[in-house]
């Protein structure tokens, strides 16, 4: 995604630079038209870069939401499985002798510990996924903003140079 955005910005800068070059080589009337075209091209480039930034941020937010949903589903499944195992152990204990009851209590305790560990791991996975997605979205936004600023600055300088030459 980042490379695609950079390629588009580079192409837009090339178009703007070419327009400025054409303006410098043409007569005064053509130079004014080309300067206007370069300015429009720079403005359009900035708008497209902003649109790309918005799209990247939206995609990162969707990825974050999806990761959180998947982690929550995993936690729910682990809890359901742990509850089923605990219930089964309790049923077996009720049908057995006192020794079987003691053994079932031990199994229930182990199942509860495993469920607790599974829940802890699921919570850590959710936290990490949210943190990673937030960092990715932040980095993408910073990169896009920086690239947009540089593109606008370059286009402004090219437009100013073309205007100065005219």
């Amino acid at each position: 995604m980042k490379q695609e955005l950079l390629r588009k910005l580079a192409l837009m800068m090339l178009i703007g630079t070419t327009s400025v070059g054409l303006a410098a080589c043409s007569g005064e009337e053509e130079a004014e038209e080309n300067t206007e075209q370069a300015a429009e091209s720079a403005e359009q480039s900035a708008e497209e870069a902003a649109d790309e930034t918005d799209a990247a941020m939206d995609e990162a937010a969707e990825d974050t939401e999806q990761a959180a949903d998947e982690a929550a589903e995993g936690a729910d499944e682990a809890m359901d499985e742990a509850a089923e195992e605990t219930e089964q152990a309790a049923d077996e204990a009720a049908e057995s002798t006192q020794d079987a009851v003691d053994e079932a209590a031990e199994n229930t305790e182990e199942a509860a510990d495993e469920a607790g560990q599974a829940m802890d791991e699921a919570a850590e996975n959710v936290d990490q996924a949210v943190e990673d997605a937030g960092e990715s979205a932040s980095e993408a936004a910073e990169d896009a903003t920086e690239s947009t600023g540089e593109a606008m600055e370059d286009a402004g300088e090219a437009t100013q140079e073309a205007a100065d030459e005219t």
Side-chain angles (χ1 to χ4, degrees):
M1 182 73 177
K2 193 184 277 186
Q3 286 181 342
E4 184 179 319
L5 180 62
L6 291 175
R7 284 183 193 154
K8 287 182 181 181
L9 286 173
L11 181 60
M12 289 179 230
M13 289 174 57
L14 177 65
I15 292 170
T17 304
T18 303
S19 298
V20 171
L22 289 173
C25 294
S26 299
E28 286 184 29
E29 291 177 14
E30 291 178 16
E32 287 178 18
E33 289 177 15
N34 289 335
T35 301
E36 289 175 14
Q37 288 176 353
E40 290 174 8
S41 176
E43 184 178 330
Q44 184 179 5
S45 297
E47 289 175 6
E48 289 176 6
D51 290 344
E52 290 289 331
T53 300
D54 289 343
M57 290 176 63
D58 290 344
E59 185 177 330
E62 288 174 10
D63 290 346
T64 302
E65 186 177 339
Q66 183 179 4
D69 289 345
E70 289 173 2
E73 287 174 12
D76 286 344
E77 289 175 11
M79 289 174 51
D80 290 343
E81 288 176 15
E84 288 174 13
E85 290 175 10
T86 303
E87 185 179 340
Q88 182 181 6
D91 289 344
E92 290 174 2
E95 296 172 4
S96 301
T97 62
Q98 185 59 37
D99 292 336
V101 170
D102 292 341
E103 186 177 293
E106 290 175 12
N107 290 340
T108 303
E109 184 178 333
E110 288 175 10
D113 288 344
E114 289 174 6
Q117 289 174 355
M119 289 172 51
D120 289 344
E121 289 175 11
E124 289 174 12
N125 290 341
V126 168
D127 289 343
Q128 187 62 42
V130 169
E131 183 179 323
D132 290 346
E135 289 175 6
S136 295
S138 178
E139 288 175 11
E142 288 175 11
D143 289 346
T145 301
E146 185 176 5
S147 296
T148 301
E150 289 174 8
M152 289 178 68
E153 184 177 51
D154 290 345
E157 289 175 6
T159 304
Q160 184 63 41
E161 288 176 14
D164 290 345
E165 290 177 11
T166 349

